[in-house]
Structure formats: C-alpha cells, structure tokens
Amino acid sequence: MLRAVRIRPVNTPVTVPRLTTALSGPLPELERAILSATPVIEHWLRSQWQEHESPFYCSVDLRNSGFKIAPVDTNLFPGGFNNLNAEFQPLCVQAAMTALEKICPDARGAVLVPENHTRNQFYLQNVATLAKILRQAGMHVRIGSLIPEITAPTDVALPDGGKLTLEPLQRKGNRLFVGDFDPCVVILNNDLSAGIPAILRGVEQSLLPPLHAGWALRRKSNHFEAYREVAEEFAGLLGIDPWFINPYFEQCGRIDFRERKGEECLEGYVAEILDDVRAKYREYKIDAEPFVIVKADAGTYGMGIMTVKDPSEVRGLNRKQRNKMAVVKEGLQVQDVIVQEGVYTFEAVNDAVAEPVVYMIDHHVVGGFYRVHTSRGKDENLNAPGMHFAPLGFAAPCSSPDPDDPGCPPNRFYAYGVIARLALVAAALELERTAEALEEVEAPAQASVAE
Amino acid sequence: MLRAVRIRPVNTPVTVPRLTTALSGPLPELERAILSATPVIEHWLRSQWQEHESPFYCSVDLRNSGFKIAPVDTNLFPGGFNNLNAEFQPLCVQAAMTALEKICPDARGAVLVPENHTRNQFYLQNVATLAKILRQAGMHVRIGSLIPEITAPTDVALPDGGKLTLEPLQRKGNRLFVGDFDPCVVILNNDLSAGIPAILRGVEQSLLPPLHAGWALRRKSNHFEAYREVAEEFAGLLGIDPWFINPYFEQCGRIDFRERKGEECLEGYVAEILDDVRAKYREYKIDAEPFVIVKADAGTYGMGIMTVKDPSEVRGLNRKQRNKMAVVKEGLQVQDVIVQEGVYTFEAVNDAVAEPVVYMIDHHVVGGFYRVHTSRGKDENLNAPGMHFAPLGFAAPCSSPDPDDPGCPPNRFYAYGVIARLALVAAALELERTAEALEEVEAPAQASVAE
C-alpha cells in the first residue's frame, strides 16, 4: 500500500521507549516502514534539535487507522502526568534534567503555575506529579497559583493521600515570586485560555513554555501548517506519501455559530476535504467512509469539536449544536474553526475505542497512555466526559532475536513515538514563527489580551 | 556523627533513578545529609557538566559502611550492561541519545570495539546489550573486533539464544572501517590493558572514551587524586568531613613483587594509612578494625588486589602471594601500586556480602546491580571468581508522602547515585589532565606502547 521505501531496511529492534500497546495484530506497512528506517529517522530528528529549540514538554494525541498514523492534538501544557505508569518516573526525571541543563543550568528554583482548578482532583494530582519530577531533577519547587482567592499558602488534599500546597503567585518589579522564594524559572501548566494575565507579562525570568504557546494566542492552524511541512520533509526521507502521516485541513475565519455566519466557508471546506480523502481512499483501495472533524482553531479540553460525514451537516445545526460549538474553555468565543480530515482509530482496550497519547519532556518520549471511551465510536473525539486512561507499561523485551517479528509489541510503539516527535518539531517551528505575536501584545504590560 | 550540615533540609523525595536496594534499615546520617541537600547537589553537578565533558559511559563500584560511602573502582569501559534490569533499557537509550547528540549529532553509524574474549558468554551478552542500546538510540551499529583470528564476519551464539556478529576492524588511511561500513564514531569497550594497538592510533573518527582512558596509560592514582579534589569541594558544599566520602590513599612506584623491591614504601604507607584511619575511627567513635587495600595502579578485573590489616603483612608475602600481585590482566606487569583505606561494606543480599555498582551513560545514572559474593568477607574485594550479580529493580514509589521516611528504599539509592557521579566528575578531570600523555605516545603511529 505504501510507495517504495527508498532507504534499505536495517536490523534494528528499536523502541523509544519500550512500551506495551493495546494492539497485538500484525504490524501494518506504515509502522514497518518507520521501524526499518530508524537510524535515518533518529539522525534526522537529531539534526532538527540542532536547529530548533524543543518546547519544555508536550503531549500528543494520536490516531492510528492502520493505514494512517497522525497527531490530532498537540498539547503544550500537558496535564495527565499522573496517568503515566510510575515506572516512567526515572525517564521523566532524566529528560527534565536534560531540559533544565540546556535552558537554565543555573536554575535552582522553579515555580509551577497550574490551571485555576481547585476541585479537579485528577488535575491537582498531575501538578503534584510534575512537581515531584522537577524535585527529583534537583529543583526547589513551589506552586504559584493565579487563583484570586488563594491569598496565603493553602493545602489541598490529593487522591493519593498526599497534599499540594498552593501559594499566591506574586510580582515585584519584573520578577515573579512565591513568598520570599525567587525562582530562576517559571514553568507554566496553565494554557492561558482565559488570556494572558498581566502578572505574567514582561517577566524577567524564563517562562516555559513561552506565553505565546497559550491558547490566548495559539492557533491550531499554525501548528498544523508547520506539521504539514515537517510531515512532507519526513515523508520525503522515507519515500512515502505524506498523506499517510498528515491529515488534510483547512481553516475558516470569522465564524459565528450563534449568528450562523460563515457556514458557507465551513460547508465548502468540508466538501473539499471529503472529496480529497475519498480520492486517497480510492487510490489506496481503502474501504471506509471519509469523515472530517470540525473544531475551534484556539481551544482545548475536547470542547467545540464535531464529527461530520456530509457537508450538509454543518448547515443544518440545531440550537444545541450551535451553542456547543460556539464556546470552548473559560467561555472563550469560537471565531476561527479548522476542518480536518478525520482519522479512524483502530486501537481498542477491552473492546472500547482507544487512542494513544504520547508524553514528551524536552525532545524525549517519556511515556504515554491510552485514552479510552466505552461509549464513543472509532470516528469520534474521545476527549470527552466518560473517558478513562489506560497507562502504557514497559514491555517485556522481545525474546525473539528477530527484530522484524511483526508481533513484537514494542516495535509498534516506536512509530507512535516518531509521529509524536514530528508533532513536537512542528510545535517548535510554530513557536518560532509566532513569537512576534507575543511582542505585539506584550506592551502595555497592564492590560490582558482576552478581556 | 556528621558535622553540621550548612544548608537547610528541603522536602525532596529524590532518587536518580528510583531503585530498590538490598538495605531496608534506617537511613544513616550521611545518606540523610546527601538526600536533604538534593537541590544544592544537583545544581552543583549541573555546573560541573557545564565545565567538563562527561566520559561516554562509566560504572562505579561503591562501598557503603554506614558511616562512609566511597567509590573503590571507576570503570571507563564498563562490561555488565547485561546485568542491568531490562526495565532500565529506556533510561540507557535516552542517555545514549543525549550523549550522541552532544558528541556527534551527525553520527549515523557506530563501531563497537569489544574485549578480545570469544568464550566469555556473559561478556558477549554485555556487548550485545550495548549494541542494542545504541541501535535503539538510532545508530547503525557493527562490532569491530581486534582479535587477529577474526578475519571475516563470525557469528557467536549468546546465552539468551541470540547471536552476535563479530567482524574484523580494519583501517584505511586514518579511518576505521568494518567491511564497507564507515562509522562516524568508534565506541571502545576494550580497556586496552594489552596496550594501545597501532590500528587505533591517530584515527580520524571520534573514539569514545579516548585512548588514554585505557589501562595502557590510565592510573588509579590519577583518578583518586582528582576524586580527592572533587570530594573536598563537594564536602565543603554539604559542610561535612570529606573523609566520609573519600578513602585515604597513597601511591608507591617502582615496585617489583617478584624481586621484593619497594616493599618498604608499601609498608610505610600501609602503616601511615592505618594510623590515619584509626584516628578517624576514634574521632567518630567507630568501633571497627581499620584495613587497607593494596592494588595495582594500572589494572582491572579485580586482579592484583589484597586486604591488609597490619604493615608486616606486605613484608612477609610468600611466593604465591607475590606472583598473584605481580601480574594483572593480559600479563601486564605491576610496577606501581596504590595503598587505599579499606571501606567495609554493610550491604548484604541474602546474607552474602554485597556492594552496589552504579552504571552511567553520559552523566546520567541509568541503573545498577549488587555484586554479591557468598564466600568473601565485608573487608574483602568482591570482584573475584564466585561473584554473582543481583540486578537492582525500580522501586515502587513510596506510598508515604513523607520524604523523610527513613524506610523509603529509593531515598537510599539516591546517595549512591550522587557518589557515583562524583567519581564520574573525577574521571572527567582525570581525562582532561592526562590527555597529554596520549599525545606523547600517539606518534609514531606504528608502534604499540605496551610491547
């Protein structure tokens, strides 16, 4: 099904890292092509990290349809570190050490700025896990909250029996503090959906990731634009059709779902992408029904997402559907929308539909899990209430000395780690290119962008 | 027992990485001091790696007497990767990736040059494990043997059922090849006890570690000299007596055991060190009998080592003892000897005496195991026939949120990882300082130094 692979296959039983996956069937051709090109791929990735600075951390939602593996969401403020297998902690610590050495060798203290959730116990457990990773990497760590009600150190109980101490983030001049603690680096785990708070603007300390990585300024279309370039270069390297790793997408601006403005743009692109995908399915003799995903260009948490199989569907939205699409997290109005080729997931955990999520710190794969949904279909967004997580574990090393053993599960995960790292390269490019947007809003330091 | 720790203890449940150890008793004061100073220690180590280049890999034999933790052997050509728990493979791969990125981002191909053993199945399994780690880090890897009898690709069966292909290492001009494979980097797993072969001299490619890390030129006294400085700086940082992490040592040159030359020097230093240790034991109210270890200054494989408790013992050596001390690996004559304070080991695995061995790739701790000997005492060298290995495993994360929980085994391993990394810093310094010795022997490229 794939086009000829130019580079010759080599004997490399490779995984980064060794994980078990839910799949145990034969290794599809795409994964096999990726696996056999490992030295070429790793060499190419090394050269990317010579040229571009990796985001501090990242999680990537992937979909694997058997004929296609693609990133569908690249999160630069990953939650869910608590969902990683505890066995991965040393990998996380080592990668965090590598990141801190590069970014700020002198850093002794870090402040972690979380989302403004105090009731989401799972999220708070994620913050505690992140703090632990940074402490194990040798940092003093305190949690600096943006919540106005947090005016003094406040202990919050955690599901694992521990506690997390939230303290008010404070500013003196151009430096951020927590009490008398003056951190060298501020690590953001807040995606800034509500805008960039004044307290974070024009700060002297390094902010990781930078402010323009937040949804106040970030756009999915910039990311997938960069990913398209990365995927094309990578596909050229492997001699495969880039479509196998890159879903089609288009962007529609100035949409107003409530006022029914911009529906024509949506309908047009939905039709165009469905046609393009149908042509590819024909070319590769794939027997499946094309679908597209319509989602907010700036948004997260799986809100404002719908599955569409016919252009007419976006015209006839009822009130409830329109309201659902109109607003994402923190009441942010949806104005720009992307239409993206849908990728079926053919992974399942205990018969429930699943998609792999890969976690990275610096440019190292440090773990992952399956997002599982028992009441959703393989053509639907799984990041929705009712989902649960199945942590990936280390795989027992393959006993067979034959690296081409198609049933060897660690081999399968390697391909996921590669595609996730392509999305990470794209995120690095995206952040380079959008740095100017931040400069535009940085002054004056008093106002907040999303007010 | 320790002197006042200047830095204040912080809440850091730290391990690099999380390992289980054989000990489950209360955490002695020294380990506790190291643990509570984690952010300071990691910050200091980060600054060391800004200034010095880490050896490519290293294993360090440690002894922990409860009141003292010290490195007793720092191996720059570690064998035994096969003895690491398979769970550590991802940590090894990540660290190898980091090392290769720094040292040679363009490297696609590596040749691994092993020891000239063809019958030691365990050693060959180590070579296979190393090759696998490098392949998983994305390198093409072939094994270039120095064995004269290997004139064509030769398969050797491995204990795990796999096979290893040894190929003759060849030279064309100033480059090393294996067949038509032109590697960017040559990784030595041969400690050059037999001298530096002409084929390796003046080579264009990077050799990792460099030739002067081999026993043809290396001296333990240079290493422990550098370690003394590192230990003093580190002890100053923690406000502890450097003796807690640094055994006394002295060097005697021009020894000839067979001709009984230089015995006076030995006897003198043995007496001096025993006196010094006795004084320290008195100072810290330690109820134990001091002993020293006499060993070859250039040597490995646990050969040429003896335990001495009284100066008179080195005078009255019988013929057998003298022969044993006179020659180490590959028939290398012992001329220089070091006398080193002995450190009791109070670790035991199933009632047998044990000492921890810590493995590092680049400057990251990637695993370890216990060297266990059922028929040796806690004051004897355990690197001897009859030893076996107990791999360290990942510890279950401590359920207790109290990082000061003295029974929390991961905490214990952190101290081992710190002392092993001090030895690694010392090795980096040692290699910087001895680089000139290599230049002296590099020309002419035709002769071999140890002939």
Side-chain angles (χ1 to χ4, degrees):
Chain A
M1 190 193 289
L2 297 182
R3 286 179 192 168
V5 173
R6 271 192 273 121
I7 35 103
R8 71 199 157 103
V10 278
N11 264 10
T12 38
V14 187
T15 90
V16 181
R18 292 195 155 274
L19 298 171
T20 49
T21 69
L23 282 170
S24 58
L27 204 64
E29 225 166 328
L30 173 59
E31 292 173 58
R32 194 179 283 275
I34 289 173
L35 196 56
S36 65
T38 306
V40 174
I41 293 171
E42 296 298 333
H43 180 259
W44 181 83
L45 282 168
R46 274 199 294 278
S47 70
Q48 296 301 308
W49 300 126
Q50 300 293 314
E51 287 166 40
H52 307 290
E53 190 183 316
S54 170
F56 179 70
Y57 51 14
C58 182
S59 71
V60 177
D61 293 10
L62 296 174
R63 305 276 290 204
N64 181 358
S65 66
F67 53 87
K68 185 161 188 157
I69 306 177
V72 293
D73 193 15
T74 303
N75 190 344
L76 296 174
F77 302 88
F81 276 94
N82 54 312
N83 292 323
L84 299 182
N85 197 316
E87 284 179 341
F88 288 108
Q89 194 106 334
L91 267 183
C92 293
V93 172
Q94 196 185 99
M97 281 178 154
T98 304
L100 293 170
E101 269 171 14
K102 272 190 307 191
I103 300 164
C104 41
D106 287 337
R108 251 178 242 248
V111 158
L112 188 58
V113 179
E115 296 283 344
N116 291 358
H117 307 317
T118 48
R119 290 191 193 162
N120 185 336
Q121 295 270 302
F122 299 108
Y123 177 73
L124 293 171
Q125 191 71 65
N126 161 67
V127 175
T129 306
L130 264 175
K132 196 170 170 184
I133 289 166
L134 294 168
R135 285 188 184 121
Q136 292 189 348
M139 305 288 278
H140 287 285
V141 180
R142 284 163 78 171
I143 315 297
S145 176
L146 294 171
I147 301 173
E149 289 73 31
I150 302 283
T151 55
T154 308
D155 286 351
V156 191
L158 295 175
D160 74 353
K163 68 173 172 65
L164 190 69
T165 306
L166 302 179
E167 298 182 76
L169 186 70
Q170 290 167 324
R171 180 154 171 168
K172 291 171 201 163
N174 284 331
R175 291 191 75 79
L176 293 174
F177 287 78
V178 166
D180 60 354
F181 179 64
D182 180 357
C184 303
V185 59
V186 176
I187 294 170
L188 298 177
N189 198 248
N190 182 311
D191 69 14
L192 310 176
S193 286
I196 302 177
I199 193 174
L200 295 182
R201 295 199 196 178
V203 162
E204 249 174 57
Q205 290 123 315
S206 296
L207 299 189
L208 300 176
L211 293 176
H212 61 288
W215 286 119
L217 293 170
R218 194 173 175 225
R219 294 294 173 265
K220 290 191 178 100
S221 47
N222 289 329
H223 177 71
F224 286 111
E225 190 65 49
Y227 181 76
R228 174 148 52 197
E229 292 169 37
V230 173
E232 273 167 14
E233 190 178 332
F234 180 82
L237 194 73
L238 262 66
I240 61 169
D241 184 341
W243 178 75
F244 287 123
I245 55 171
N246 186 28
Y248 292 122
F249 87 95
E250 294 292 348
Q251 187 220 23
C252 286
R254 302 195 190 174
I255 298 275
D256 187 332
F257 280 100
R258 287 194 178 118
E259 299 292 324
R260 298 197 156 178
K261 280 184 189 152
E263 284 186 353
E264 315 72 41
C265 172
L266 264 186
E267 193 180 345
Y269 278 137
V270 167
E272 195 179 308
I273 289 179
L274 285 174
D275 282 350
D276 289 348
V277 175
R278 204 164 285 122
K280 281 290 179 189
Y281 280 14
R282 217 175 296 124
E283 180 182 350
Y284 295 112
K285 299 186 176 58
I286 293 161
D287 183 21
E289 191 188 358
F291 69 102
V292 300
I293 296 287
V294 176
K295 55 188 171 188
D297 200 6
T300 179
Y301 279 66
M303 295 164 93
I305 297 188
M306 62 188 217
T307 298
V308 178
K309 293 193 174 171
D310 190 282
S312 65
E313 290 173 48
V314 293
R315 218 182 324 139
L317 291 184
N318 61 31
R319 197 188 157 86
K320 192 181 155 198
Q321 286 169 317
R322 281 187 280 126
N323 281 341
K324 198 186 140 210
M325 289 301 292
V327 176
V328 289
K329 197 188 153 204
E330 312 251 13
L332 201 63
Q333 293 291 319
V334 174
Q335 288 184 317
D336 301 312
V337 160
I338 73 166
V339 180
Q340 191 174 43
E341 173 190 347
V343 180
Y344 286 97
T345 179
F346 83 147
E347 295 251 47
V349 172
N350 297 333
D351 295 333
V353 177
E355 64 189 12
V357 184
V358 176
Y359 276 68
M360 290 164 286
I361 294 181
D362 197 81
H363 58 272
H364 297 284
V365 174
V366 295
F369 53 76
Y370 278 101
R371 177 179 286 122
V372 186
H373 211 300
T374 50
S375 55
R376 292 243 168 169
K378 60 185 180 171
D379 56 358
E380 283 183 290
N381 167 41
L382 304 185
N383 191 353
M387 65 181 168
H388 67 274
F389 305 103
L392 291 160
F394 283 106
C398 282
S399 54
S400 162
D402 174 14
D404 294 323
D405 177 2
C408 190
N411 288 353
R412 165 148 280 137
F413 192 80
Y414 178 69
Y416 293 166
V418 170
I419 303 298
R421 286 183 290 162
L422 297 185
L424 189 71
V425 173
L429 282 173
E430 174 201 348
L431 291 179
E432 279 171 19
R433 291 171 186 174
T434 54
E436 283 171 21
L438 182 64
E439 284 162 31
E440 284 164 28
V441 299
E442 277 271 62
Q446 257 48 270
S448 173
V449 263
E451 280 166 354
Chain B
M1 190 192 289
L2 296 183
R3 288 179 192 168
V5 173
R6 271 192 275 120
I7 34 104
R8 71 198 157 105
V10 277
N11 264 11
T12 39
V14 187
T15 90
V16 181
R18 293 193 154 272
L19 298 171
T20 49
T21 70
L23 283 169
S24 58
L27 203 65
E29 227 167 329
L30 174 59
E31 292 174 58
R32 197 179 282 273
I34 289 173
L35 196 56
S36 66
T38 307
V40 175
I41 293 171
E42 296 298 333
H43 180 258
W44 181 83
L45 283 168
R46 275 199 295 277
S47 71
Q48 296 301 309
W49 301 126
Q50 300 294 313
E51 287 167 37
H52 308 290
E53 192 183 315
S54 170
F56 180 70
Y57 50 17
C58 182
S59 70
V60 177
D61 293 9
L62 296 174
R63 305 276 288 204
N64 181 357
S65 66
F67 52 89
K68 185 161 188 158
I69 306 177
V72 294
D73 193 15
T74 302
N75 191 344
L76 295 174
F77 302 89
F81 276 94
N82 52 314
N83 293 323
L84 300 182
N85 197 315
E87 284 179 342
F88 289 108
Q89 194 106 334
L91 268 183
C92 293
V93 172
Q94 195 187 98
M97 281 178 155
T98 304
L100 293 169
E101 270 172 12
K102 271 190 309 191
I103 300 163
C104 41
D106 287 338
R108 251 178 243 248
V111 157
L112 188 58
V113 179
E115 297 283 345
N116 290 358
H117 307 317
T118 49
R119 289 191 193 161
N120 184 336
Q121 295 270 303
F122 299 107
Y123 177 73
L124 293 170
Q125 191 71 64
N126 161 66
V127 175
T129 306
L130 263 175
K132 196 170 171 184
I133 289 166
L134 294 168
R135 284 189 184 121
Q136 292 190 348
M139 304 289 278
H140 286 285
V141 180
R142 283 164 79 172
I143 315 296
S145 176
L146 294 170
I147 300 173
E149 290 74 30
I150 302 284
T151 55
T154 307
D155 286 348
V156 192
L158 294 175
D160 75 352
K163 68 173 171 67
L164 191 68
T165 305
L166 302 178
E167 299 183 75
L169 186 70
Q170 289 167 326
R171 179 154 171 168
K172 291 173 201 161
N174 283 332
R175 291 191 74 79
L176 293 174
F177 286 80
V178 166
D180 59 357
F181 179 64
D182 180 356
C184 304
V185 59
V186 177
I187 292 170
L188 298 177
N189 198 247
N190 183 311
D191 69 16
L192 309 175
S193 286
I196 302 177
I199 194 174
L200 295 182
R201 295 200 198 178
V203 162
E204 250 172 54
Q205 291 123 313
S206 294
L207 299 188
L208 299 176
L211 293 175
H212 62 289
W215 287 118
L217 294 170
R218 195 175 175 223
R219 294 294 174 266
K220 290 191 178 100
S221 48
N222 289 329
H223 177 70
F224 286 111
E225 191 66 48
Y227 181 76
R228 173 147 51 198
E229 292 169 38
V230 173
E232 274 167 15
E233 189 178 333
F234 180 82
L237 194 72
L238 263 67
I240 61 169
D241 184 342
W243 178 75
F244 287 123
I245 55 171
N246 185 29
Y248 291 122
F249 87 95
E250 294 292 348
Q251 187 221 24
C252 286
R254 302 192 190 178
I255 298 275
D256 187 331
F257 280 100
R258 288 195 176 114
E259 299 292 325
R260 298 195 157 179
K261 280 185 191 151
E263 283 185 354
E264 315 72 40
C265 172
L266 264 188
E267 195 180 345
Y269 278 137
V270 167
E272 194 178 310
I273 288 179
L274 285 174
D275 282 349
D276 289 348
V277 175
R278 205 165 285 121
K280 281 291 180 188
Y281 279 13
R282 217 174 297 123
E283 180 182 352
Y284 294 112
K285 299 187 176 56
I286 293 161
D287 183 22
E289 191 187 359
F291 68 101
V292 299
I293 296 287
V294 176
K295 54 188 172 187
D297 200 7
T300 179
Y301 279 68
M303 295 164 93
I305 296 188
M306 61 188 216
T307 298
V308 178
K309 293 193 176 171
D310 191 283
S312 65
E313 290 174 49
V314 294
R315 217 181 325 137
L317 290 184
N318 62 31
R319 195 188 159 87
K320 193 181 156 199
Q321 287 169 316
R322 282 187 280 124
N323 281 340
K324 199 187 138 210
M325 289 301 292
V327 176
V328 289
K329 198 188 152 201
E330 312 251 12
L332 200 63
Q333 294 291 319
V334 173
Q335 289 184 318
D336 300 310
V337 160
I338 72 166
V339 180
Q340 191 174 42
E341 173 189 347
V343 180
Y344 286 97
T345 180
F346 83 149
E347 294 251 50
V349 172
N350 296 332
D351 295 332
V353 176
E355 65 189 11
V357 185
V358 175
Y359 276 67
M360 289 163 287
I361 295 180
D362 197 81
H363 58 272
H364 297 285
V365 174
V366 296
F369 53 75
Y370 278 100
R371 177 178 286 122
V372 187
H373 210 299
T374 50
S375 56
R376 293 242 167 169
K378 59 185 180 170
D379 56 357
E380 283 183 292
N381 167 41
L382 304 185
N383 191 352
M387 65 181 167
H388 68 273
F389 305 102
L392 290 161
F394 283 105
C398 283
S399 55
S400 162
D402 174 16
D404 294 323
D405 176 3
C408 190
N411 289 353
R412 165 149 278 137
F413 193 80
Y414 178 69
Y416 292 166
V418 169
I419 304 297
R421 285 183 289 162
L422 297 184
L424 188 72
V425 173
L429 282 173
E430 174 201 348
L431 292 179
E432 278 171 19
R433 291 171 186 175
T434 54
E436 282 170 20
L438 181 64
E439 284 163 30
E440 284 165 26
V441 301
E442 277 272 59
Q446 259 47 268
S448 174
V449 263
E451 278 166 358

